[in-house]
Amino acid sequence: MSAPLPEDARGEPKLSLVVPICNEQEVLPLLVERLRGVMDGCAAGCEAILVNDGSVDGSWGLIAAATRVDPRFKALDFSRNFGHPAAITAGLDHASGDAIVVMDADLQDPPELVPKMVALYREGWDVVHARRSARQGETAFKKLTAEGFYKVMGLLADRPPTPNVGEFRLISRAVVDALGGMRERHRLVRGLVSWLGFRQTTLDFERPGRAAGETKFPFRRMFRLSWDALTAFSVAPLRLALVLGVLALLLAIPASAALLLVALAGDAGAWGWPALLCGQMLLAGATLVCLGLLGDYVGRIYDEVRGRPLYVVRQRLGLAAPARR
Ligand code: UDP
Ligand code: MG
């Protein structure tokens, strides 16, 4: 995408920092300190929205204490765990800044990168993705599966998300407003942002390891998230039935012709029951796989039709409920 023109340059934005938090009591005191450092450097004002996504440790107590000491800290407390994308969405719904930066709580997304993102925003970019040029403290398995995920998405998704980019990014008010209208349930925020367009750029950084605590995304959860992402942005799996059906026909037509010839030559029982059984199992297996995939998509449609809220807020500190949602 082409670079913005000089006349698109903007003034210093009012900044909102959105941080999803789930069981991060070990890292919270450090996070609050580092966020305060960034907020002190903001010329046009800054707020930090800490979203407590159903923590069962002491996180909420620490968050509430931060809001009492410094009113620039604001907080949302969910009624239970709704997941990382819902927590980000809630933060965006409540943010009032001209530019909003989403970052993880564990300091793997260094807050000190924010001024560089703001500089790019001021040049006229609407989305600044922080791209991981290196990842410290992550297992070879996690790196490999992440690479595989971006390859598959690149092949199958309508508009694949930018590779090696998590949820650490700056987005302009215009993009946040557009995102606000996208209330789909199985959401990958980075995918929605890529889909939206606008002027997007990347900023490379070396991703440090977690400052404290443990990852909340073991393989099982990562797999679910990846599957959600794939089905949210691609219907390619549904087409599997068509591909398998065509393959089966391509095999079945010459095989039937051959069988007919053999039968005409006088040996009707030539292929016998093993051939029948194999063909039967192959087709039954393929049919069940396709039915399963169909069921998965239908289940997602059901989820959407019920229209339940993406998250439920138990308490707001320093924030009013947003008008629309
Ligand atoms: N998180 C969340 N809800 C969840 C799981 C995680 O809000 O259900 C937050 C978590 O507190 C952190 C961010 O999402 O701020 C990323 O989680 P984590 O660092 O564990 O993921 P990883 O970096 O290991 O992929
Ligand atoms: Mg992390």
Side-chain angles (χ1 to χ4, degrees):
M1 199 169 283
S2 58
L5 298 168
E7 54 266 30
D8 293 324
R10 308 169 169 121
E12 193 72 41
K14 178 173 182 262
L15 201 63
S16 299
L17 308 173
V18 168
V19 190
I21 295 169
C22 179
N23 299 330
E24 302 284 7
Q25 64 179 11
E26 294 91 353
V27 79
L28 260 166
L30 202 59
L31 172 75
V32 167
E33 217 33 62
R34 297 263 294 268
L35 290 183
R36 196 173 281 141
V38 172
M39 289 199 283
D40 289 343
C42 288
C46 187
E47 63 177 1
I49 302 181
L50 309 178
V51 185
N52 183 34
D53 183 16
S55 298
V56 290
D57 64 355
S59 295
W60 178 244
L62 292 166
I63 293 170
T67 62
R68 280 194 296 272
V69 174
D70 184 342
R72 290 177 301 178
F73 284 99
K74 300 166 182 180
L76 294 171
D77 189 22
F78 280 0
S79 61
R80 64 168 170 86
N81 179 270
F82 281 89
H84 192 212
I88 294 175
T89 306
L92 295 177
D93 290 346
H94 288 77
S96 61
D98 308 313
I100 293 95
V101 177
V102 177
M103 62 174 80
D104 284 353
D106 58 359
L107 297 170
Q108 283 198 284
D109 302 337
E112 291 72 23
L113 213 66
V114 170
K116 285 191 189 158
M117 293 175 149
V118 170
L120 286 166
Y121 165 86
R122 295 192 58 188
E123 279 178 22
W125 296 101
D126 285 300
V127 177
V128 183
H129 304 279
R131 185 169 57 191
R132 304 151 184 187
S133 58
R135 300 158 166 236
Q136 292 159 18
E138 279 182 7
T139 60
F141 180 71
K142 186 152 186 169
K143 287 182 204 171
L144 200 75
T145 45
E147 208 172 301
F149 168 71
Y150 286 112
K151 284 236 165 76
V152 174
M153 286 296 279
L155 280 175
L156 298 184
D158 325 328
R159 284 188 66 93
T162 318
N164 289 319
V165 160
E167 298 303 350
F168 187 22
R169 68 173 51 77
L170 176 146
I171 31 192
S172 68
R173 168 55 44 198
V175 177
V176 172
D177 287 346
L179 261 180
M182 300 164 89
R183 309 306 285 177
E184 63 199 69
R185 197 143 311 273
H186 296 275
R187 48 206 290 120
L188 182 76
V189 180
R190 69 195 87 158
L192 298 180
V193 173
S194 286
W195 184 91
L196 271 175
F198 290 89
R199 290 191 190 116
Q200 310 204 0
T201 188
T202 50
L203 175 66
D204 284 334
F205 78 113
E206 287 203 10
R207 194 168 206 230
R210 243 181 184 275
E214 281 178 4
T215 178
K216 311 296 177 299
F217 284 96
F219 178 70
R220 195 173 39 84
R221 249 186 121 172
M222 273 322 273
F223 184 79
R224 213 176 57 206
L225 191 74
S226 307
W227 181 248
D228 268 355
L230 184 64
T231 48
F233 290 95
S234 168
V235 290
L238 281 179
R239 295 198 191 111
L240 188 69
L242 194 66
V243 175
L244 289 178
V246 169
L247 280 180
L249 275 182
L250 286 179
L251 279 175
I253 293 170
S256 311
L259 196 64
L260 191 67
L261 285 179
V262 175
L264 286 177
D267 184 6
W271 285 9
W273 63 267
L276 272 179
L277 189 67
C278 285
Q280 193 68 29
M281 286 198 322
L282 208 74
L283 279 182
T287 311
L288 285 177
V289 166
C290 295
L291 260 183
L293 284 174
L294 200 65
D296 199 88
Y297 279 88
V298 172
R300 282 156 206 276
I301 297 171
Y302 183 45
D303 271 351
E304 296 296 345
V305 170
R306 277 189 300 215
R308 291 185 187 158
L310 293 175
Y311 56 84
V312 176
V313 177
R314 194 177 68 86
Q315 203 180 341
R316 292 181 174 82
L317 297 178
L319 291 167
R324 266 188 313 130
R325 288 145 211 143

